Amino acid sequence: MNSETKILIIEDEKPISRFLQVLMSGHEYQVKTVETAKQGLLLVANWSPHLILLDLGLPDLDGVAVIEEIRAWSNTPIIVISARNKESDKVATLDAGANDYLTKPFGSDELLARIRVALRLAARDQISMPMRFQISDVTIDLSLKKITRNETPIKLTKTEYNILKFLCRNAGKVITHKQILQEVWGNNYTEHAHYVRIHVAQLRRKIELDPAQPMHIITETGIGYRLVDACEV
Ligand code: CA
């Protein structure tokens, strides 16, 4: 129920925060708006929002520092909304623990969709991890470690499987190269983004109908990947 879902907006630009507030209220979300990081952090602690919309350029503290501070004690989903369009900024916020990133100007529908994904993933993480996924005609069964296309097994290497598993568990969310490297290879490999590119290319050859034009493992240029259209079954 949206009406029970609380969204905190931390944004110092009045027209944007007003727009966001109207949009969120119009979709039955409970909303509070603040203009500084300090007020935002207080409300994260005292109001316990289900999701945070965060501007990076705040008057008192940089957005990346805000994310790090929140992540020290809270898993509340954070969607960054920023005028900064540099890939390095996006990567820094995602690596700091933001769940998603939207560049201004953005469409209302896009933002609402990203909010739904973030809330769904957060709610799911609290219950249990789904074990079966469907990506067009490919079925991924994590409990059996079995990947099939129309009943025919697809053979993945251990690395390909681990990447696919990580993407499935974060379906709909953008994942950075560093996050994949940490998950699949470990902390000592976080600079080796080319490992990820090579193995994702192989994975696409096995999973995608047309690996040259992937429809499911989408490249977020300079940032990482997003698995789209994966259903839990
Ligand atoms: Ca700002």
Side-chain angles (χ1 to χ4, degrees):
M1 278 295 286
N2 281 2
S3 59
E4 290 162 16
T5 306
K6 300 186 274 187
I7 297 186
L8 173 62
I9 299 167
I10 309 177
E11 164 69 86
D12 62 329
E13 278 170 74
K14 280 265 168 49
I16 295 178
S17 75
R18 182 81 194 121
F19 162 76
L20 290 172
Q21 186 164 23
V22 169
L23 181 66
M24 296 303 119
S25 304
H27 286 78
E28 312 271 304
Y29 292 113
Q30 288 184 49
V31 193
K32 282 195 198 287
T33 311
V34 294
E35 291 176 21
T36 65
K38 196 174 164 205
Q39 294 168 319
L41 289 166
L42 261 177
L43 272 187
V44 175
N46 296 335
W47 189 51
S48 305
H50 296 92
L51 184 135
I52 300 158
L53 296 178
L54 175 69
D55 175 37
L56 284 189
L58 295 169
D60 54 339
L61 192 62
D62 185 72
V64 174
V66 178
I67 297 167
E68 283 168 351
E69 191 133 334
I70 293 171
R71 280 292 169 265
W73 48 272
S74 165
N75 287 324
T76 307
I78 301 170
I79 298 181
V80 168
I81 291 172
S82 177
R84 299 182 203 167
N85 197 17
K86 273 183 19 215
E87 282 161 9
S88 56
D89 284 321
K90 295 183 189 179
V91 171
T93 58
L94 293 166
D95 281 341
N99 297 62
D100 210 339
Y101 191 108
L102 275 176
T103 308
K104 296 171 187 171
F106 50 83
S108 316
D109 289 344
E110 179 70 15
L111 174 62
L112 290 165
R114 301 282 184 92
I115 288 173
R116 284 193 297 271
V117 167
L119 288 170
R120 184 172 54 76
L121 284 173
R124 196 190 66 186
D125 286 349
Q126 284 180 352
I127 311 166
S128 67
M129 287 289 186
M131 297 304 273
R132 272 169 63 89
F133 298 87
Q134 191 77 35
I135 309 174
S136 48
D137 57 350
V138 176
T139 306
I140 298 152
D141 190 324
L142 298 179
S143 58
L144 300 174
K145 290 195 170 188
K146 229 173 110 182
I147 321 293
T148 48
R149 171 177 278 125
N150 303 323
E151 314 280 308
T152 310
I154 300 176
K155 219 171 146 29
L156 298 186
T157 65
K158 189 163 169 255
T159 302
E160 289 159 7
Y161 175 80
N162 286 336
I163 293 173
L164 183 60
K165 180 165 107 178
F166 190 48
L167 289 173
C168 281
R169 296 222 151 134
N170 292 282
K173 177 177 161 184
V174 54
I175 299 294
T176 66
H177 294 120
K178 187 174 168 189
Q179 287 167 335
I180 296 174
L181 287 161
Q182 267 170 339
E183 173 73 18
V184 176
W185 279 270
N187 281 330
N188 294 335
Y189 293 84
T190 51
E191 302 306 316
H192 298 62
H194 60 286
Y195 285 16
V196 182
R197 288 196 197 97
I198 293 164
H199 286 87
V200 166
Q202 287 171 358
L203 189 53
R204 280 173 170 157
R205 262 178 238 127
K206 298 177 182 180
I207 303 289
E208 298 276 357
L209 286 177
D210 179 2
Q213 290 180 12
M215 304 290 287
H216 302 297
I217 304 174
I218 303 297
T219 299
E220 297 278 340
T221 307
I223 301 169
Y225 300 94
R226 188 194 297 266
L227 181 69
V228 298
D229 297 332
C231 321
E232 294 155 22
V233 290

